[in-house]
């Protein structure tokens, strides 16, 4: 079992989630975060902290299409363990559907 970051995280980067994770298993891309399913201990603490309601347990149907995305990018993006500034237009994109095509494969850069 693991928790999974899904579409609504795209273009947000609020990163409230990373501050509460006890095992630091979030990884950051240019405009999206993922959870490493091999490191997540399934504690569920991050789920209610996400303002975009983008995190679901892998048993939830909404997580299923994103499982592979989280595994794939957790292997290549840098680990993130502290809160950073959200994207400048994050509030404009929050809750907007159809963001999947905007997912950048590029890693986060400080
Ligand atoms: S708090 Fe939610 S929307 Fe923000 S970076 Fe974490 S998973 Fe993504
Ligand atoms: S469920 Fe727990 S261990 Fe997994 S990503 Fe969320 S806070 Fe981290």
């Amino acid at each position: 079992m693991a928790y999974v970051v899904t579409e609504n995280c795209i273009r947000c980067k609020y990163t409230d989630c990373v501050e509460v994770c006890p095992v630091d298993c979030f990884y950051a891309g240019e405009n999206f975060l993922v959870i490493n399913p091999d490191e997540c201990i399934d504690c569920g603490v991050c789920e209610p902290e996400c303002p975009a309601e983008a995190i679901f347990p892998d048993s939830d149907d909404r997580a299923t299409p994103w499982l592979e995305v989280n595994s794939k990018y957790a292997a290549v993006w840098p680990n993130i363990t502290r809160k950073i500034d959200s994207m400048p237009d994050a509030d404009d994109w929050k809750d907007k559907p159809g963001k999947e095509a905007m997912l950048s494969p590029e890693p986060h850069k400080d």
Side-chain angles (χ1 to χ4, degrees):
M1 284 279 290
Y3 277 69
V4 179
V5 184
T6 65
E7 179 173 342
N8 213 26
C9 176
I10 296 173
R11 298 191 72 120
C12 296
K13 269 192 180 167
Y14 294 122
T15 60
D16 302 72
C17 52
V18 304
E19 291 231 301
V20 298
C21 180
V23 294
D24 293 338
C25 63
F26 281 88
Y27 292 77
E30 187 175 27
N31 64 10
F32 188 58
L33 260 62
V34 294
I35 292 169
N36 184 331
D38 295 329
E39 296 173 349
C40 174
I41 59 171
D42 200 32
C43 71
V45 172
C46 57
E47 184 183 13
E49 295 298 321
C50 174
E53 296 180 18
I55 302 175
F56 299 103
D58 62 6
S59 55
D60 190 304
D61 287 347
R62 290 167 288 186
T64 306
W66 292 89
L67 272 168
E68 194 181 325
V69 174
N70 279 241
S71 289
K72 175 182 170 184
Y73 289 116
V76 292
W77 285 349
N79 188 224
I80 179 169
T81 60
R82 61 178 176 81
K83 191 168 169 56
I84 58 173
D85 290 340
S86 62
M87 302 196 75
D89 54 358
D91 288 345
D92 297 337
W93 287 100
K94 189 180 169 196
D95 300 328
K96 287 237 170 85
K99 293 192 284 187
E100 187 170 354
M102 298 175 189
L103 173 58
S104 169
E106 298 300 318
H108 169 75
K109 292 189 182 72
D110 286 322

